[in-house]
Amino acid sequence: MINVKKALLKIRYLEEEYSDCQEICDKAKREIENVIRKTHSDLNVFDKDLDKDAFQRKMESMESREDESPLAKIENPPWAKKLFRKIVMITHPDKVPESLNELIKDKFLSMYQKSKSLIDEGDYVGLIMIASDLNIDLSLEDIKDNKIFKKKQKDLEKKITQIKRSIYWSWTMSSDQERDEIIKDFIKQRGWTSKESMRKKSRKGSGRHPGKSISWARSKVSVAKKEDT
């Protein structure tokens, strides 16, 4: 039988760790994007994928992500419905006394809205956490014997592990020299050092158009002059 209090403490800790890791990686992601864009500008090479939307997709493909399937209609167990009703009886705007402080009213409203989302998503651990914050009795046998706590814990641990395996986490933990190697590897993968890409603002294909490099245009002018003479 699960000790609900200890299980919730463990999950709260993991949620905090996940949030911290996500914040660190978001910062690293912005840093990498800035370095790549600057490097692309400095090298002055053409890369058709470096428009705003395509670049974002390329950055996201640098880390592995699980496919998200659409949420199906969930049939909530009776104990979860009962717990939700108890939360609603305390947090619903119609149940909150008018005499309460506005900040407390806002907090209750936020808890009410979140609890609605959680039960719709089938996140019963989150629902239990709100009930715990409201000092609602959690001694139900259905809660104590439930495996949702272990599942939630494993899911959070998996997400944290995935973050720590991402290129963004590696960037955060790397020295300046190691970061240079990461960028060099990205440049190599994008083919920026190839003969085709190293032509300034070069574009594939025939014909004269603004996308061709200055050196390409000059060579054509030179050839034309020779043909005239």
Side-chain angles (χ1 to χ4, degrees), residues 25 62-63 161-171:
C25 278
M62 290 176 67
E63 64 171 338
T161 298
Q162 286 177 335
I163 285 179
K164 292 185 177 181
R165 288 177 178 172
S166 70
I167 186 66
Y168 307 123
W169 189 264
S170 297
W171 178 269

Side-chain angles (χ1 to χ4, degrees), residues 31-169:
E31 289 178 359
I32 293 177
E33 288 178 353
N34 289 336
V35 172
I36 288 176
R37 286 192 179 279
K38 185 178 185 307
T39 304
H40 173 253
S41 177
D42 290 344
L43 290 176
N44 200 24
V45 294
F46 174 73
D47 190 320
K48 64 183 178 63
D49 288 328
L50 278 182
D51 62 82
K52 185 176 180 181
D53 294 334
F55 181 72
Q56 184 68 24
R57 292 194 297 271
K58 282 293 177 185
M59 292 302 300
E60 288 176 355
S61 70
M62 290 176 67
E63 64 171 338
S64 58
R65 295 177 181 268
E66 291 187 336
D67 292 331
E68 296 181 2
S69 55
L71 294 174
K73 181 70 176 177
I74 296 173
E75 181 59 37
N76 298 304
W79 68 265
K81 293 178 182 178
K82 184 176 180 180
L83 200 62
F84 176 67
R85 284 195 294 270
K86 288 183 178 182
I87 293 173
V88 170
M89 290 301 293
I90 298 174
T91 62
H92 192 282
D94 293 340
K95 302 295 181 180
V96 176
E98 286 294 330
S99 58
L100 286 180
N101 182 284
E102 290 298 323
L103 290 177
I104 297 177
K105 287 182 182 178
D106 290 342
K107 183 176 181 181
F108 278 152
L109 178 60
S110 177
M111 295 173 87
Y112 168 68
Q113 292 173 336
K114 186 175 181 181
S115 64
K116 283 180 62 179
S117 298
L118 291 169
I119 197 165
D120 288 342
E121 296 166 4
D123 187 347
Y124 305 127
V125 173
L127 198 68
I128 293 170
M129 292 174 83
I130 289 180
S132 174
D133 291 338
L134 293 169
N135 294 319
I136 293 174
D137 181 27
L138 298 176
S139 61
L140 293 172
E141 293 301 316
D142 286 335
I143 295 179
K144 290 184 177 182
D145 289 334
N146 214 301
K147 296 179 181 179
I148 55 175
F149 297 101
K150 289 184 178 179
K151 183 180 183 303
K152 183 74 171 182
Q153 181 177 327
K154 287 183 179 179
D155 287 346
L156 285 168
E157 289 172 342
K158 183 178 179 180
K159 288 180 179 179
I160 292 169
T161 298
Q162 286 177 335
I163 285 179
K164 292 185 177 181
R165 288 177 178 172
S166 70
I167 186 66
Y168 307 123
W169 189 264

Side-chain angles (χ1 to χ4, degrees), residues 164-216:
K164 292 185 177 181
R165 288 177 178 172
S166 70
I167 186 66
Y168 307 123
W169 189 264
S170 297
W171 178 269
T172 301
M173 299 298 140
S174 297
S175 64
D176 289 343
Q177 183 177 354
E178 289 168 334
R179 289 183 178 187
D180 286 342
E181 292 301 318
I182 291 174
I183 297 302
K184 286 179 182 177
D185 185 56
F186 178 84
I187 290 172
K188 185 177 180 181
Q189 289 181 28
R190 297 301 302 153
W192 290 358
T193 54
S194 67
K195 185 177 180 180
E196 175 70 22
S197 291
M198 286 307 290
R199 290 186 299 149
K200 293 187 176 182
K201 299 297 180 185
S202 60
R203 294 178 186 268
K204 293 181 179 180
S206 58
R208 297 183 182 183
H209 50 77
K212 290 292 186 180
S213 66
I214 294 174
S215 58
W216 176 88

